[in-house]
Amino acid sequence: MSIVTLKDALNRAKKDKYGIGAFNISSFTFLETVIEAAEAKRSPVIVQIAEGHIADMPRFDSFCKAVVNMASSASIPVVVHLDHGQTLPIVMICIQNGFSSIMMDASSYPYEENIKKTKEIVDICHSVGISVEGELGTIGGAEANIVREEDAFTNPDEALDFVNKTQIDALAISIGNVHGNYKGEPKLDFERLENISKATNLPLVLHGGSGIYDDDFRKAVTLGICKINFYTGNCKSAGKAVMDFVKEDPEKNGTDLMKLIKGIRKNVYETVCHNIDVFGSSNKAW
């Protein structure tokens, strides 16, 4: 297969009612493992780099080229996506390096400014056949408790207006989901999700996938979620491999880097495979 656009992948997911995992890749180890797992499951997959991680990638251009090269040679459909893009220079670097999808996150701005900034990126990307994800509502962070204030959640009527004015291809929404670790029980507002889906008729995106219960993922997919962002859970799986490695024999294994990397790959592979099964995208590659 080859690199595909987010619009193509999510429209298929919406039609057949499954979700596609969007796994952040902050290293070659994560990149290789995510694609390997998706190939084993015969699942489409989204590999994404968050703009917030780019500061720790001194050779970002080189990494982009490696991502695109590996995605191009995969045996399953792969979307190469910029996650939480916020600045035009980074967006342009990703476009120039062959990304097939861009997220413009202007959700922290006032509503009209969010529309303006998102539409600017839509006009640029659509002119060269690249999909765009926008965000509306406030998604909590790892440092916050689960957001429950209604004015922070995505408003269904506002969502329709936002979609119509920006012409985005996918919409990231706030329904009680948070980035990073949940403090307390994750409680998604499924009624709000269903109303947004009916109002916009657009593929919807759930950020903060790590920590959400499997049954809640399954229900969210039936109500319109087509893209599920997942990163913290993979980091935890990798971290467990590190801890197991150190506990086994620090003096001996501290010099065996490849054994450590194999442990990380194994744990992350199993986590990605599990989520692909939960999201319902196994054997959905085309």
Side-chain angles (χ1 to χ4, degrees):
M1 192 55 195
S2 60
I3 295 175
V4 299
T5 65
L6 187 71
K7 180 177 181 178
D8 183 16
L10 296 193
N11 282 347
R12 290 171 184 264
K14 180 175 173 60
K15 177 177 179 294
D16 293 334
K17 293 189 180 299
Y18 62 87
I20 302 177
F23 302 99
N24 287 76
I25 48 167
S26 51
S27 69
F28 285 110
T29 299
F30 271 33
L31 169 62
E32 293 167 345
T33 305
V34 166
I35 291 180
E36 181 184 358
E39 288 181 323
K41 287 294 180 179
R42 303 305 307 155
S43 169
V45 73
I46 301 162
V47 295
Q48 57 186 30
I49 303 172
E51 180 166 339
H53 290 161
I54 293 173
D56 296 319
M57 298 179 179
R59 298 189 180 276
F60 180 57
D61 274 354
S62 298
F63 188 60
C64 286
K65 290 179 174 63
V67 172
V68 170
N69 179 64
M70 193 170 295
S72 298
S73 61
S75 63
I76 41 87
V78 181
V79 177
V80 181
H81 180 73
L82 172 66
D83 185 31
H84 288 287
Q86 296 181 329
T87 60
L88 183 58
I90 294 298
V91 169
M92 294 307 297
I93 288 173
C94 292
I95 290 174
Q96 291 162 1
N97 277 286
F99 281 46
S100 61
S101 177
I102 299 292
M103 179 195 181
M104 181 58 193
D105 181 5
S107 60
S108 63
Y109 291 90
Y111 180 67
E112 293 299 332
E113 189 70 9
N114 187 356
I115 291 174
K116 179 181 177 181
K117 288 180 176 294
T118 302
K119 185 62 165 64
E120 177 187 14
I121 300 304
V122 168
D123 289 344
I124 293 170
C125 290
H126 282 185
S127 71
V128 289
I130 294 173
S131 304
V132 178
E133 171 188 337
E135 181 175 318
L136 184 64
T138 301
I139 298 174
E143 73 288 347
N145 290 318
I146 298 173
V147 178
R148 293 306 302 173
E149 297 82 2
E150 282 209 5
D151 59 356
F153 286 4
T154 306
N155 179 288
D157 294 331
E158 201 171 59
L160 176 60
D161 181 65
F162 185 79
V163 168
N164 287 338
K165 289 179 177 177
T166 61
Q167 293 299 297
I168 52 174
D169 303 295
L171 176 65
I173 60 173
S174 171
I175 55 170
N177 46 310
V178 305
H179 293 118
N181 295 309
Y182 284 80
K183 295 183 178 180
E185 298 291 316
K187 296 179 182 179
L188 303 183
D189 188 340
F190 291 113
E191 182 179 357
R192 184 179 299 270
L193 165 58
E194 186 173 17
N195 289 337
I196 295 170
S197 182
K198 288 179 178 178
T200 63
N201 194 34
L202 197 72
L204 301 179
V205 181
L206 186 68
H207 286 224
S210 301
I212 293 175
Y213 300 123
D214 289 353
D215 285 345
D216 284 351
F217 278 135
R218 296 184 183 102
K219 184 172 182 178
V221 168
T222 68
L223 296 176
I225 292 294
C226 300
K227 174 178 181 276
I228 300 165
N229 285 22
F230 194 91
Y231 179 58
T232 300
N234 280 341
C235 291
K236 287 183 175 181
S237 294
K240 184 178 185 305
V242 174
M243 296 303 295
D244 290 344
F245 174 79
V246 171
K247 288 177 183 177
E248 184 180 336
D249 189 340
E251 293 298 324
K252 177 182 177 181
N253 293 328
T255 59
D256 192 351
L257 179 61
M258 292 312 299
K259 183 175 182 180
L260 171 58
I261 291 175
K262 286 178 182 178
I264 292 172
R265 287 175 61 91
K266 177 180 180 295
N267 283 12
V268 173
Y269 177 89
E270 291 173 354
T271 300
V272 173
C273 284
H274 171 79
N275 281 286
I276 285 173
D277 285 338
V278 170
F279 301 160
S281 63
S282 298
N283 297 314
K284 294 296 195 297
W286 61 90

